[in-house]
Amino acid sequence: MSAKNELDKTENKKKTGGKRPSPGLAGGKDLFNSTFPGKELTPREIVAELDKYIVGQKKAKRAVAVALRNRIRRLKLESDMREDIAPKNILMIGPTGVGKTEIARRLAKLAGSPFIKVEATKYTEVGYVGRDVESMIRDLMAAGIQMVKQEMQETVTIEAEKRAEDALLDLLLPGTGKKRKEPKPGPVVRPMGTFSINSDNASGSGPALMGTAIQVGIPVFRKKSDDEDTETREENEEHEAGEKQEDKTEETVVKDSSTREKFRTMLREGKLEDRMVEITVNQNPQFPSFEMMGGGFEDLESSLSGIAGFFGGGKKKKLVTVSRAREILIGEELEKLVDRDRVSDEARQRVEETGIVFIDEIDKIAVKGERGGGGPDVSREGVQRDILPIVEGATVNTKWGPVNTDHILFVAAGAFNVSKPSDLIPELQGRFPLRVELDSLGKDDFLRILTEPKNALTKQYIDLLATEEVTIEFTPEAIDRLAALAADVNSRLENIGARRLHTIMEALLEELSFEAPDIAPTQVSITEAYVNEKLTDLVMDQDLGRYIL
């Protein structure tokens, strides 16, 4: 290395304090701040947040916590290193009702990331009737657009409400909000006379081809005469009349302004909420939703939405209450105040850097046994082949522009009670390096599910019946008995996990929920004896329990 290069390197170190220079807006902290609106949580804090809603499944929680934290770490790196770090996709294996979907959904909420849940069974191989796998990215982009638009609208809500209030006053008091227009002065034109143009044939004989009389007017420049005094007097009279009219107009404006402010006060106090007003709203015609084979659907959809205004769109008048009109006007003003291009650009960046796709029922597209025995199935192995490039990294065209999937996190889940993860094609298996097996739920887990989470089932039913002035209270013995019954039914019938608690709770409180409006106000204690009375016969009757529980 030359002495000059060594000197330049030393000077750069002095300027930057020995640190690497910032890569600018496209990298480092700038990218992290622009694409990660959620709270920066450590893996331990992420698990603690998930524990508030999901019981057990420590392995799965730790895996998704590490995956989310790695995304945060990646966004802080410089662009050259950041592009080479791929997300570690996760495959969750476990029976239904153990929390697979809930873990992914809560994770997306914690991260503030665009999130979409899809079922693998909805898709077929491209070229066949059905949804193509690229539609999951289009759905994710739509979710990102909605998320970013809502965030931006929250910043301009006050301005939108102010504009909507002025528009409402214009509806209630037409003309008071308009400024009086001054007439534009123009030249004085007096007629000069008429003349005609006659066009004859070439021989000079015959009828005229055209005969037109034109009256020409030019500005009049005249000298002072005896009539000027009369005209001046008339002009003075007109001027005085105009001044009087202006005075009256000013008085009207002041009176209108006072009335407008009175109505504004009444409007803010809610005294005009039920008054009917006629409002003009934008009517955007919607074409029927449909799916197309191939990748041209987005282009067709964009074209149709672009020309939709020519097919019955435009303005439509509606008679609504003031309260409803306010909602409509605020929505329209929010749409005007938010920049659509900025929304699509930010949403696309957020989707590409922090988006999460949860693919449920992936075990249903696994090919059981030997492959190729009966030929490829377009709704199974064909779907796997189409999902593969999306997970590996591809560019998908959407109505908001192309979206790259290189750094989108994919979380797949399946029960795999019939097939096995090894039944997936090898290439797809390799794209889900993290395998997490979720545990089946037992009595102790059910007991915790009924009491610990923020949205525990017992708390939900207590709040629901409280709206009918019916106060219910669950004793610890009753909750313990419910957990034992749920575990017992799961062991004898199909194991549907925590969803069994929903069926048992509904059967337990069905009669009380039906009679609540008639017996209110009252207080009911749910004891172990009450649970046995309502459920024991149902659980013990194998045939009846099979259909009801």
Side-chain angles (χ1 to χ4, degrees), residues 134-322:
E134 289 187 351
S135 64
M136 70 173 69
I137 304 301
R138 294 194 286 266
D139 293 341
L140 180 65
M141 186 62 189
I145 288 287
Q146 184 63 29
M147 175 184 292
V148 174
K149 182 190 291 186
Q150 187 174 358
E151 291 176 3
M152 290 187 177
Q153 286 179 347
E154 289 176 357
T155 62
V156 294
T157 300
I158 296 177
E159 178 64 22
E161 291 175 350
K162 181 181 178 182
R163 294 188 181 186
E165 185 180 70
D166 290 335
L168 270 178
L169 291 172
D170 292 340
L171 293 173
L172 293 167
L173 300 169
T176 59
K178 298 179 180 179
K179 294 182 179 179
R180 185 168 57 88
K181 295 182 179 179
E182 297 291 339
K184 294 182 179 180
V188 179
V189 178
R190 294 287 185 269
M192 186 181 72
T194 62
F195 65 92
S196 62
I197 301 174
N198 294 325
S199 178
D200 299 333
N201 56 15
S203 61
S205 62
L209 297 177
M210 179 176 66
T212 307
I214 303 176
Q215 179 170 311
V216 181
I218 61 173
V220 176
F221 304 94
R222 33 184 193 78
K223 297 180 180 180
K224 294 183 179 180
S225 63
D226 295 337
D227 297 334
E228 186 172 11
D229 293 337
T230 304
E231 291 184 3
T232 303
R233 190 164 48 252
E234 292 176 354
E235 289 176 359
N236 289 337
E237 291 176 357
E238 291 178 358
H239 181 67
E240 291 176 0
E243 288 182 346
K244 292 180 180 179
Q245 183 64 30
E246 287 180 0
D247 292 340
K248 290 182 179 179
T249 304
E250 290 177 358
E251 291 177 4
T252 304
V253 170
V254 172
K255 189 180 295 183
D256 288 346
S257 176
S258 175
T259 305
R260 188 179 178 88
E261 291 305 316
K262 289 180 180 178
F263 268 74
R264 189 189 299 274
T265 302
M266 294 171 65
L267 198 61
R268 291 178 178 177
E269 292 176 352
K271 297 179 180 179
L272 305 176
E273 295 298 293
D274 296 330
R275 178 170 294 193
M276 303 298 293
V277 293
E278 189 177 55
I279 185 173
T280 303
V281 297
N282 294 323
Q283 188 179 17
N284 295 324
Q286 297 293 332
F287 289 95
S289 177
F290 62 92
E291 293 289 339
M292 259 186 78
M293 293 179 293
F297 172 69
E298 281 298 323
D299 298 333
L300 177 63
E301 186 181 7
S302 299
S303 301
L304 290 178
S305 61
I307 64 174
F310 296 100
F311 297 96
K315 304 286 186 178
K316 179 183 178 182
K317 291 186 177 181
K318 295 176 65 177
L319 194 64
V320 296
T321 61
V322 168

Side-chain angles (χ1 to χ4, degrees), residues 288-356:
S289 177
F290 62 92
E291 293 289 339
M292 259 186 78
M293 293 179 293
F297 172 69
E298 281 298 323
D299 298 333
L300 177 63
E301 186 181 7
S302 299
S303 301
L304 290 178
S305 61
I307 64 174
F310 296 100
F311 297 96
K315 304 286 186 178
K316 179 183 178 182
K317 291 186 177 181
K318 295 176 65 177
L319 194 64
V320 296
T321 61
V322 168
S323 59
R324 176 58 183 156
R326 183 187 292 106
E327 295 175 6
I328 295 174
L329 292 171
I330 289 177
E332 291 182 352
E333 294 299 332
L334 287 174
E335 289 289 337
K336 295 176 185 177
L337 290 170
V338 172
D339 185 1
R340 293 185 179 181
D341 293 334
R342 185 185 166 199
V343 169
S344 59
D345 291 342
E346 185 168 336
R348 184 166 59 250
Q349 184 181 30
R350 193 176 296 185
V351 165
E352 290 180 345
E353 300 295 340
T354 67
I356 299 176

Side-chain angles (χ1 to χ4, degrees), residues 351-369:
V351 165
E352 290 180 345
E353 300 295 340
T354 67
I356 299 176
V357 177
F358 181 75
I359 307 176
D360 203 4
E361 309 292 347
I362 198 170
D363 58 315
K364 305 301 187 296
I365 63 171
V367 180
K368 299 182 289 293

Side-chain angles (χ1 to χ4, degrees), residues 32 48 58 80 90 117 119 142 162 188 228 248 280 292 298 320 364 367 423 457 476 511 529 538 545 548:
F32 172 75
K58 292 295 184 184
D80 54 348
I90 303 170
K117 175 185 178 293
E119 284 79 28
K162 181 181 178 182
V188 179
E228 186 172 11
K248 290 182 179 179
T280 303
M292 259 186 78
E298 281 298 323
V320 296
K364 305 301 187 296
V367 180
D423 291 331
L457 275 179
E511 183 178 350
L538 198 62
I548 297 180

Side-chain angles (χ1 to χ4, degrees), residues 484-497:
L485 288 175
D488 180 47
V489 175
N490 269 351
S491 63
R492 290 189 287 109
L493 303 178
E494 292 293 331
N495 186 2
I496 60 174

